[in-house]
Every structure is written in C-alpha cells, then in structure tokens.
Amino acid sequence: MLNYLDSRNLSKIWWLSAVTIIIGALLGTDSTLPGVLPYFAFIFFGGISLYLQYGRGILAAILEKPKKGSWKLVIPVLIISYVIAFIFLGIGNLLGNQPVTNGATGSGPVTTQLIRLFWICISLIGEEIITAALTLPFVSLLMKRVNKRQAWIYGAIICSLLFGMLHFRAYDWNLYQMLVPIGLGRLPFTWLWVKSDSLWPAVITHILYDVLIFLPAILFGI
C-alpha cells in the first residue's frame, strides 16, 4: 500500500471524491434505505472515491496481504483502543458531556439483532475504506509540504476527526463523542494501516472492537 502511494500522484479529478464521500456518508447512515443497502454504501462510495483519487490499482493496494507479523498487533491495538476510548469518555464526563448510546443493532428478538450486527461488521470494512479515502489524499498533499512521517501524523489526526463526523446520526450530533472518543479514538487503527501496510488488520480490529461492545448488550442486556 505505502509503496503504491509513494509511486502515484493524485489524479486531476481527485477533488470530485469529496462529493462521493459525502453521498456515501449520507446513504451509509440512512436507516430509511431498504434492506441492507446502507451497510454497503461506505464500501461502494469509498471505493469510487479512491478510484477518483488514484485510479486503478488503489483498492488492490490498500487491501493487499499485510506485512508478516502484522496480525500479532491486532489484540494490543484493540486493547489500546479501548483504553483510549475509556479515557476520552471519562474526560467527557468530567466536562459534563452525556454520551449517546449507539442503537445500531436496534431492538427486537436476539436473532434479529445478531443479523444486524453481522451487517454492521460488513459495513465496518467500508468504514475503513472510506476513512482511507479521506486520509490518503491528505497525506499525499501534505507530503509536498512536510516529511512523510509528519504527513501521516497530520493526515491521520485531521481525517480521524472527519471520520468521527460520519457518525452524526448514530450519536445524535454529540460533537464531543463524535470527534474525541469516536474520531481521535480510531487513531490506533490508522497506525495499524501504516504498520501492516494494509487495511485488513485494522478492519479486523475494528470489527472485534464493535462486536465486543454490541454482543454483550444483545445477549445479556449489558
């Protein structure tokens, strides 16, 4: 993934991806759409956005086989992500921010909620893809001004905040919750992209992160 980005410039029409990202964000969070369509919106429009930015080959590059040893990082990154989220939520409580519960699995029979959780896991692949569509152009542009390490740091922070804003419906426009625990809280996932040279370890970590939150709530009402 990183070698591909180093060898490619942004296309002349990369800016059009802003439109497809916005469309994907709106459709991917629209519960009124029929069937399972919302769960595929981030994948579809994130993929189109990346194509507009870099052309052919970018999806294969970001979803290539991870570096050897990358899978060993999944559990440590998962734990770190929970610790960061816990700290950020604690700070929010001190500041008087009341967190909004994410009701993505809805209500009803356990079986129905488990099916929704499955589709949520599918959509998390799209969340990483559309976050890549936000982050990679920033990194490419920033590398013209600063070194590669700084470009990734600045790009990751900026686009983590934008990622948080994609959850405006899920968290009822709770800005602190969107920008800090959800937005900045995903920085370990982006670090895992760079470390593994692929989105896959971050995708699996993200899925585990959400499943371990939603599954106890579904099964035991926690």
Side-chain angles (χ1 to χ4, degrees):
M1 176 179 76
L2 299 180
N3 288 336
Y4 182 90
L5 291 173
D6 289 343
S7 65
R8 300 282 295 195
N9 293 320
L10 282 169
S11 73
K12 294 180 180 180
I13 58 170
W14 72 269
W15 51 272
L16 287 175
S17 64
V19 177
T20 52
I21 289 171
I22 291 172
I23 293 172
L26 293 174
L27 295 181
T29 57
D30 189 351
S31 59
T32 65
L33 288 178
V36 297
L37 289 180
Y39 300 108
F40 288 94
F42 285 164
I43 296 175
F44 181 74
F45 287 99
I48 289 176
S49 300
L50 285 165
Y51 177 79
L52 290 172
Q53 293 160 0
Y54 294 99
R56 295 179 180 178
I58 183 61
L59 282 175
I62 65 172
L63 297 174
E64 65 185 353
K65 184 179 179 180
K67 286 182 180 177
K68 186 177 180 180
S70 298
W71 294 111
K72 296 178 182 179
L73 298 172
V74 168
I75 299 303
V77 169
L78 179 65
I79 294 170
I80 290 168
S81 298
Y82 279 130
V83 171
I84 290 173
F86 179 79
I87 292 170
F88 282 154
L89 287 171
I91 293 172
N93 287 333
L94 291 175
L95 295 174
N97 180 265
Q98 184 64 39
V100 176
T101 301
N102 186 333
T105 58
S107 57
V110 170
T111 304
T112 301
Q113 293 186 62
L114 289 174
I115 291 172
R116 289 197 193 104
L117 180 58
F118 168 79
W119 289 115
I120 287 170
C121 292
I122 297 298
S123 74
L124 294 178
I125 301 172
E127 283 199 9
E128 292 302 309
I129 290 174
I130 206 165
T131 305
L134 288 167
T135 306
L136 300 185
F138 269 93
V139 173
S140 293
L141 292 171
L142 285 167
M143 280 197 294
K144 297 179 180 179
R145 302 284 184 178
V146 297
N147 63 48
K148 186 175 180 178
R149 183 172 181 273
Q150 289 175 319
W152 270 102
I153 291 172
Y154 300 152
I157 292 172
I158 292 168
C159 296
S160 290
L161 296 173
L162 293 174
F163 166 83
M165 290 300 296
L166 295 178
H167 295 75
F168 63 99
R169 283 184 172 133
Y171 294 100
D172 197 25
W173 287 101
N174 185 323
L175 286 177
Y176 178 84
Q177 194 169 358
M178 289 189 296
L179 295 176
V180 185
I182 304 300
L184 295 179
R186 71 146 286 118
L187 284 172
F189 299 162
T190 305
W191 176 84
L192 194 50
W193 292 358
V194 179
K195 197 68 176 177
S196 65
D197 201 20
S198 172
L199 259 61
W200 281 120
V203 167
I204 299 304
T205 307
H206 198 162
I207 288 173
L208 288 173
Y209 184 96
D210 278 29
V211 166
L212 292 175
I213 291 173
F214 286 121
L215 195 57
I218 292 171
L219 297 178
F220 308 112
I222 298 175

